[in-house]
Amino acid sequence: MSVTAAKGFTAAGIAAGIKENGNPDLALVVNTGPRLAAAGVFTSNRVKAAPVLWSEQVLKGGRVSAVVLNSGGANACTGPKGFQDTHATAEKVAEVLDGHSAGEIAVASTGLIGVLLPMDKLLAGVETAAAQLSEHGGEKAAIAIKTTDTVHKTSVVTKDGWTVGGMAKGAGMLAPGLATMLVVLTTDADVESDVLDRALRAATRTTFDRVDSDGCMSTNDTVLLLASGAAEVTPEYAEFAEAVRQVCDDLGQQLIRDAEGASKDIKIEVVNAATEDDAVEVGRSIARNNLLKCAIHGEDPNWGRVLSAIGTTSAAFEPDRLNVAINGVWVCKNGGVGEDRDNVDMRYREVHIVADLAAGSETATIWTNDLTADYVHENSAYSS
Amino acid sequence: MSVTAAKGFTAAGIAAGIKENGNPDLALVVNTGPRLAAAGVFTSNRVKAAPVLWSEQVLKGGRVSAVVLNSGGANACTGPKGFQDTHATAEKVAEVLDGHSAGEIAVASTGLIGVLLPMDKLLAGVETAAAQLSEHGGEKAAIAIKTTDTVHKTSVVTKDGWTVGGMAKGAGMLAPGLATMLVVLTTDADVESDVLDRALRAATRTTFDRVDSDGCMSTNDTVLLLASGAAEVTPEYAEFAEAVRQVCDDLGQQLIRDAEGASKDIKIEVVNAATEDDAVEVGRSIARNNLLKCAIHGEDPNWGRVLSAIGTTSAAFEPDRLNVAINGVWVCKNGGVGEDRDNVDMRYREVHIVADLAAGSETATIWTNDLTADYVHENSAYSS
């Protein structure tokens, strides 16, 4: 499954020794064609890791023959040496995969910022991975890109004669402008790179871009979509775009469910906004309110914290027309006390907040998590 | 000391029974003149508590004869009834203080959002407090406005023949556009309300407005400055403004040191910014990065999280010219690895981060705290 569910792709995942604990840490995904079309979306963080700077250049050509990914080090804030290391990695992949060019090899890294990668281990790992490439290697590749993820994440949508599949990693530093994550999607549909780009941007805008687990934006976020054309089918754009969206949505949900330390998945649905931008701004403000996230952790339907988060935005609304429902109970009506908060059942993992701005007809849904002592623990001991 | 350090003021703090635990919860501060000048600054949250809406109107007249403050309930998101309750409170104060007018009584409330105040207890408490008004009542008033504060906060600056003093409360929901807090400052200097307003806005802009403990902006923030003129001295503006700034700065520091669950006070100094706005934007982005706040809690000088926070801003900078020092060690130079991070000593409560944008000559300092399991615990059980 994963990135090898679609025809025309091989993959491998191995332990190169980049991670000190010996876990798998290097993945290779190869497009065996006949087509080598690709599109990519990257972090909007202005501090970009070396592999992001490299892969952005590669994707400008619209062709990717292989993707090499490592966990165990982000290769971010590593200066010119870091960029040279990324370049050397792409060169190594091109060398071991006969007939490939480094300029068509995308590179992605994840892990601690500010540390150079152990290049001897990484380059040797590329050789090992290349020797293990297989049409069944998607699962191992998905496992090799994990960092603090507790499970690996894959998704597949199969249509009439063609498939979109993919893998994702990400658990912390999950926020907009792409969550902290690496995602590789593959399809055997016969689709050109500009169509891939359009479908990928449309899909990420309403899926990964609306996952905001902890408000922290990564230096390494990368989402790639590769097409092999091996199915010899060119689907209608709408059908293709919807399949890509479904895979992105499914992977985004898996990221939220595995977020560091989280005990609740919180779906924030902003309705009756004047504009979609307003809805997203309000949803994000609620998603990033630490006090609300703590309250949800304590199964406390503290709607005052929702209103105080809405109040910090520039969205169109009148304070005395706001309504808030938590798990179906309208605890706030017209900006004041609504139905009895004791009726709110918060025992389950998913919590559904509806914020009604009463200002229009647009809507957006943002996903976040609660804030827990486990999150603090995990992130106060991460680099040491 | 506190609000009665300056001549021309009396105060009281009592337990009215608003808090279920029986702790003091009602404070009264009275300006006995001869002057009744006042200025106020309020939360920029668009969802404003009833007492904020009321006091904003009162302050437009530039005269305040008394301030009544309660803890145990924010009277926010309480609709028309909440506003009527605030009005009734001011009327009650005017009634028990002979010769006062409700339109010159400021009201401030703090506590849980979305709950109506127990008005019978509150109004009876106003009578009790009025009977206990004293020139030595400042300390008791400061104690009565505490919510989750572990200590009460007061500050006094005495100059040649005149004084500025004050009290503050605030421990959570501490963020810009004024931290979640109530502050009453008093002076016996003979200063008109427009001068008070100018001095207060100048002082809060670089003190309370740069405290950002948890990124959450309150519905109730209120900072008042009252002048009695009882010292019969009109100081030079610059000297007066500096005294007000000193008291605000001292109280702001006390808020940070008592922030909920915090184990570290973090001073974020942004230097060599192109503009002061850039410096503040970058400082706030760093202050609100949950991952960095967790790392500091773990005494981990994880400068990559500083860079990734800077990268989300619109400030002028080049990623490969950024420098970051933590407790005096330049762990990041030119956007990459700098001095050995093992040299950073993080054993003490205060942590000093310098972010050098290398883009100009402006600077700003933002104060925040670490993110701890205690913060999560305190805020997941607050309303229940």
Side-chain angles (χ1 to χ4, degrees):
Chain A
M1 306 305 287
S2 176
V3 289
T4 48
K7 291 191 289 286
F9 292 93
T10 57
I14 61 123
I18 305 166
K19 286 181 182 165
E20 288 187 3
N21 63 10
N23 284 344
D25 50 20
L26 189 89
L28 190 57
V29 181
V30 177
N31 186 345
T32 58
R35 187 185 279 284
L36 298 182
V41 183
F42 300 90
T43 182
S44 53
N45 197 311
R46 291 168 60 201
V47 176
K48 295 181 200 300
V52 169
L53 295 170
W54 170 267
S55 297
E56 280 182 335
Q57 286 302 316
V58 169
L59 267 294
K60 283 188 180 162
R63 281 171 62 92
V64 168
S65 65
V67 186
V68 57
L69 309 96
N70 75 274
S71 52
N75 198 6
C77 307
T78 44
K81 178 67 170 72
F83 192 82
Q84 287 165 18
D85 287 348
T86 291
H87 187 177
T89 304
E91 290 283 1
K92 181 72 178 181
V93 173
E95 175 197 319
V96 300
L97 299 177
D98 210 32
H100 285 244
S101 151
E104 294 177 5
I105 311 287
V107 182
S109 300
T110 180
L112 189 63
I113 297 173
V115 178
L116 288 165
L117 292 169
M119 287 306 291
D120 51 341
K121 293 175 180 170
L122 197 153
L123 296 180
V126 168
E127 291 193 21
T128 309
Q132 296 186 18
L133 283 167
S134 147
E135 290 175 3
H136 308 287
E139 204 81 11
K140 285 190 174 169
I143 292 167
I145 59 174
K146 286 169 57 187
T147 52
T148 55
D149 307 66
T150 64
V151 294
H152 62 287
K153 289 107 180 168
T154 67
S155 181
V156 173
V157 169
T158 299
K159 307 294 285 189
D160 189 20
W162 55 278
T163 293
V164 178
M167 64 181 184
K169 92 94 204 170
M173 211 186 259
L174 271 175
L178 297 190
T180 293
M181 57 189 192
L182 304 181
V183 177
V184 179
L185 308 175
T186 57
T187 182
D188 46 19
D190 194 14
V191 180
E192 294 187 14
S193 61
D194 57 342
V195 177
L196 294 179
D197 187 70
R198 183 176 160 206
L200 184 62
R201 286 180 194 280
T204 55
R205 193 179 74 85
T206 60
T207 55
F208 295 124
D209 267 353
R210 295 191 183 168
V211 167
D212 194 338
S213 174
D214 64 1
C216 298
M217 192 198 298
S218 156
T219 50
N220 288 57
D221 295 334
T222 299
V223 184
L224 301 176
L225 170 58
L226 278 55
S228 70
E232 298 179 354
V233 178
T234 303
E236 291 293 318
Y237 173 74
E239 190 184 9
F240 179 68
E242 174 58 17
V244 173
R245 195 201 63 76
Q246 282 179 27
V247 173
C248 288
D249 191 44
D250 184 21
L251 291 172
Q253 292 298 310
Q254 293 181 49
L255 294 176
I256 279 287
R257 286 199 295 274
D258 193 31
E260 286 170 351
S263 71
K264 302 281 187 192
D265 306 332
I266 309 171
K267 178 183 184 179
I268 300 164
E269 196 179 349
V270 182
V271 301
N272 298 324
T275 66
E276 186 179 355
D277 283 351
D278 274 9
V280 171
E281 183 192 0
V282 167
R284 234 184 250 304
S285 177
I286 297 169
R288 292 182 174 186
N289 189 282
N290 278 352
L291 288 171
L292 176 67
K293 290 155 76 86
C294 288
I296 299 292
H297 178 53
E299 304 191 342
D300 169 11
N302 195 329
W303 58 268
R305 292 174 181 175
V306 177
L307 258 67
S308 91
I310 297 173
T312 64
T313 70
S314 62
F317 70 85
E318 293 300 325
D320 59 1
R321 296 193 62 200
L322 295 171
N323 306 298
V324 175
I326 301 179
N327 285 355
V329 180
W330 288 94
V331 285
C332 169
K333 288 186 179 174
N334 295 319
V337 182
E339 295 170 15
D340 189 347
R341 39 170 285 153
D342 290 344
N343 293 335
V344 181
D345 182 353
M346 299 186 69
R347 286 173 297 172
Y348 303 101
R349 183 170 174 105
E350 187 172 322
V351 174
H352 185 194
I353 297 175
V354 181
D356 173 6
L357 302 188
S361 57
E362 296 297 322
T363 183
T365 298
I366 301 283
W367 284 88
T368 190
N369 299 102
D370 56 344
L371 180 57
T372 70
D374 286 347
Y375 176 92
V376 173
H377 177 72
E378 192 156 345
N379 287 298
S380 56
Y382 179 62
S383 83
S384 42
Chain B
M1 305 309 284
S2 174
V3 289
T4 48
K7 290 190 290 287
F9 293 92
T10 57
I14 61 127
I18 305 166
K19 286 180 181 166
E20 288 186 4
N21 63 10
N23 284 344
D25 50 19
L26 189 89
L28 190 57
V29 181
V30 177
N31 186 345
T32 58
R35 188 185 278 283
L36 298 182
V41 182
F42 300 91
T43 182
S44 54
N45 197 312
R46 291 168 59 202
V47 176
K48 295 181 201 300
V52 168
L53 295 171
W54 170 268
S55 297
E56 280 182 334
Q57 287 302 316
V58 169
L59 267 295
K60 282 187 180 162
R63 281 170 63 91
V64 168
S65 64
V67 186
V68 57
L69 309 96
N70 75 274
S71 52
N75 198 6
C77 306
T78 43
K81 178 66 170 74
F83 192 81
Q84 287 165 19
D85 287 348
T86 291
H87 187 176
T89 304
E91 290 284 1
K92 181 71 178 180
V93 173
E95 175 198 320
V96 300
L97 298 178
D98 211 32
H100 286 245
S101 151
E104 293 176 5
I105 311 286
V107 183
S109 300
T110 180
L112 188 62
I113 296 173
V115 178
L116 288 165
L117 293 169
M119 287 305 291
D120 50 342
K121 292 175 179 168
L122 197 153
L123 297 180
V126 168
E127 291 193 21
T128 309
Q132 295 186 18
L133 282 167
S134 146
E135 290 175 3
H136 308 287
E139 204 82 11
K140 285 189 173 171
I143 291 168
I145 59 174
K146 286 169 57 187
T147 52
T148 55
D149 308 66
T150 65
V151 294
H152 62 287
K153 289 108 180 169
T154 67
S155 181
V156 174
V157 168
T158 299
K159 307 296 283 189
D160 189 19
W162 56 278
T163 292
V164 178
M167 64 181 185
K169 93 95 203 171
M173 210 184 261
L174 270 176
L178 295 192
T180 292
M181 57 189 191
L182 304 181
V183 177
V184 179
L185 308 175
T186 57
T187 181
D188 45 19
D190 193 14
V191 179
E192 294 186 14
S193 61
D194 57 342
V195 177
L196 294 179
D197 187 69
R198 184 178 160 205
L200 185 61
R201 287 181 192 281
T204 55
R205 191 178 76 84
T206 60
T207 55
F208 295 123
D209 267 354
R210 294 190 184 170
V211 167
D212 194 336
S213 173
D214 64 0
C216 298
M217 193 199 299
S218 157
T219 50
N220 288 57
D221 295 334
T222 300
V223 183
L224 301 176
L225 170 57
L226 277 55
S228 70
E232 297 179 353
V233 178
T234 303
E236 291 293 318
Y237 173 75
E239 191 184 9
F240 179 68
E242 174 57 18
V244 173
R245 196 201 63 76
Q246 282 180 26
V247 173
C248 288
D249 192 44
D250 183 21
L251 290 172
Q253 292 298 312
Q254 293 182 49
L255 294 176
I256 279 288
R257 286 200 295 273
D258 193 31
E260 286 170 351
S263 71
K264 302 281 188 192
D265 305 331
I266 309 170
K267 178 183 184 178
I268 300 164
E269 195 179 350
V270 182
V271 302
N272 298 323
T275 65
E276 187 179 356
D277 283 351
D278 274 9
V280 171
E281 183 192 0
V282 167
R284 236 185 248 304
S285 177
I286 297 169
R288 292 182 173 185
N289 190 283
N290 278 352
L291 289 170
L292 177 67
K293 290 155 76 87
C294 288
I296 299 293
H297 178 55
E299 304 191 342
D300 169 11
N302 195 328
W303 58 268
R305 292 174 180 175
V306 177
L307 257 68
S308 90
I310 297 172
T312 64
T313 70
S314 62
F317 70 84
E318 292 301 326
D320 59 2
R321 295 193 62 199
L322 295 172
N323 305 299
V324 175
I326 301 179
N327 286 353
V329 180
W330 288 95
V331 284
C332 170
K333 288 185 178 175
N334 295 318
V337 182
E339 294 170 17
D340 190 346
R341 39 169 285 154
D342 291 343
N343 292 337
V344 181
D345 182 352
M346 298 186 71
R347 286 173 298 171
Y348 302 101
R349 184 171 174 105
E350 187 172 322
V351 175
H352 184 195
I353 297 175
V354 182
D356 173 7
L357 302 188
S361 57
E362 296 297 322
T363 184
T365 298
I366 301 282
W367 284 88
T368 190
N369 299 103
D370 57 344
L371 180 57
T372 70
D374 286 347
Y375 176 90
V376 173
H377 177 71
E378 192 155 346
N379 287 297
S380 55
Y382 179 60
S383 82
S384 41

